[in-house]
Amino acid sequence: MADQIWQVSVVFTEDGPQTRADAILELAGQRYHGWGRAKRAPEDPSVPVIGQDLAAARALSNLSHQLLDAAADRIETAEGKRARLHG
């Protein structure tokens, strides 16, 4: 059984050839919000799931960088010195 479960919500907004994804994680009283965008080329067929895949991947990548920064801040606070994390 898992000690913790984190749930990320991903919400998509379509505007013509553009898809935006917003990835939201609420964790220990903090809210993290990553976003990403995909744009379909005019000559490409309209397959919304492809734009959603790309936009979601970019939103989750943005969210992961925010979590790395938050972890570095927590390490710096606990240890009193600069932390360098590699992601």
Side-chain angles (χ1 to χ4, degrees), residues 29-64:
Q30 289 190 287
R31 185 175 195 259
Y32 297 93
H33 176 202
W35 71 278
R37 180 175 36 214
K39 182 177 179 186
R40 178 175 42 87
E43 65 275 5
D44 290 342
S46 179
V47 184
V49 71
I50 295 172
Q52 291 172 348
D53 289 347
L54 288 169
R58 291 171 177 152
L60 292 168
S61 176
N62 181 258
L63 184 64
S64 73

Side-chain angles (χ1 to χ4, degrees), residues 75-87:
I75 292 168
E76 289 172 3
T77 298
E79 295 184 358
K81 62 181 179 180
R82 185 166 183 225
R84 292 188 67 205
L85 300 181
H86 304 279

Side-chain angles (χ1 to χ4, degrees), residues 6-20:
W6 293 4
Q7 293 186 339
V8 176
S9 297
V10 180
V11 178
F12 298 99
T13 306
E14 304 273 342
D15 184 13
Q18 294 190 22
T19 302
R20 177 183 169 117

